Amino acid sequence: MKKIVILISGRGSNMEAILETARREKWDSSVVAVISNRPDAKGLEVAARYGVPTAVVASRGSADRASFDAALQREIDRHAPDLVVLAGFMRILTPAFVAHYEGRLLNIHPSLLPAFTGLDTHARAIAAGVRFHGATVHFVTAELDVGPIVDQAVVPVLPDDSEQTLARRVLEQEHRIYPRAVRHFVEGRLRIVQGRVMLAPGAANTGSA
């Protein structure tokens, strides 16, 4: 059984989508901890309702990024996870932290990478006049938002879209593709070959990676 640790900073809607899908589909896995860098993160309450142990490694007051990441790594490693999932975890991680979890650290980004890395993706997509926007699940590397792509979802950008309406439609797709990507990892179907993710065949194949 694969063990998963999920990191959050806020309400944890992607975390909840993963927990709910794992329960419904009876994955051969267990979310062994949900960890937040903020003690007031609403997602901690959600995780507790699912019976998942929670912990806080506070980023506020840390001497520097390296000190925080070292403390976070110690807490994660107590659970010996096979996979670490960033679900709205609002921290830029140090290269040493990322290297420690190489090949087992997933993130979701609200754009069709490599377009619109970083913040304010929905506003930037509207301002750029693109016709399509979306979300990307990727393996995390030391360079921000450029790791190997696992899965993507596309939504149209409508003429009357605001940042908020576009964000809502993208989030709906995040809740669909992130659990799927995590499930594929749990099933051992993801392979990184020359910087690209390949999806091995399997009975549960419901989409591309």
Side-chain angles (χ1 to χ4, degrees):
M1 176 177 287
K2 292 289 200 313
K3 295 193 291 184
I4 301 169
V5 167
I6 302 179
L7 307 184
I8 63 171
S9 292
R11 59 183 173 152
S13 68
N14 272 309
M15 173 204 69
E16 185 170 14
I18 291 166
L19 291 172
E20 183 58 35
T21 305
R23 175 184 289 181
R24 184 177 66 250
E25 297 179 353
K26 298 180 172 59
W27 297 354
D28 186 22
S29 66
S30 175
V31 177
V32 293
V34 168
I35 304 170
S36 176
N37 66 309
R38 296 180 52 176
D40 60 346
K42 296 297 183 184
L44 293 171
E45 301 173 10
V46 176
R49 290 202 297 270
Y50 278 83
V52 178
T54 63
V56 174
V57 179
S59 53
R60 181 172 291 182
S62 293
D64 51 38
R65 283 174 55 200
S67 298
F68 169 76
D69 281 9
L72 178 62
Q73 182 177 314
R74 287 193 296 272
E75 178 60 30
I76 293 171
D77 287 352
R78 285 200 316 109
H79 305 281
D82 300 285
L83 176 65
V84 179
V85 175
L86 308 181
F89 188 66
M90 303 305 290
R91 296 280 302 182
I92 296 176
L93 298 165
T94 57
F97 182 96
V98 172
H100 183 70
Y101 299 105
E102 182 179 2
R104 53 192 180 112
L105 182 61
L106 286 179
N107 185 40
I108 191 162
H109 183 74
S111 81
L112 292 173
L113 293 175
F116 307 118
T117 60
L119 301 175
D120 302 320
T121 60
H122 309 306
R124 290 161 59 201
I126 292 170
V130 298
R131 296 293 193 269
F132 297 96
H133 188 45
T136 303
V137 181
H138 65 97
F139 282 102
V140 178
T141 60
E143 190 174 353
L144 185 66
D145 298 333
V146 298
I149 292 172
V150 177
D151 205 345
Q152 291 184 305
V154 178
V155 301
V157 180
L158 305 179
D160 60 347
D161 259 332
S162 66
E163 181 180 356
Q164 291 73 30
T165 60
L166 183 56
R168 281 197 294 271
R169 291 206 311 284
V170 170
L171 188 61
E172 289 175 359
Q173 295 304 311
E174 290 182 30
H175 294 168
R176 181 176 65 85
I177 66 171
Y178 212 0
R180 183 169 71 193
V182 174
R183 187 187 71 225
H184 286 162
F185 184 96
V186 166
E187 294 170 345
R189 297 177 58 202
L190 301 182
R191 299 285 185 272
I192 302 176
V193 181
Q194 296 181 341
R196 298 181 63 184
V197 177
M198 304 298 178
L199 179 64
N205 187 2
T206 59
S208 62

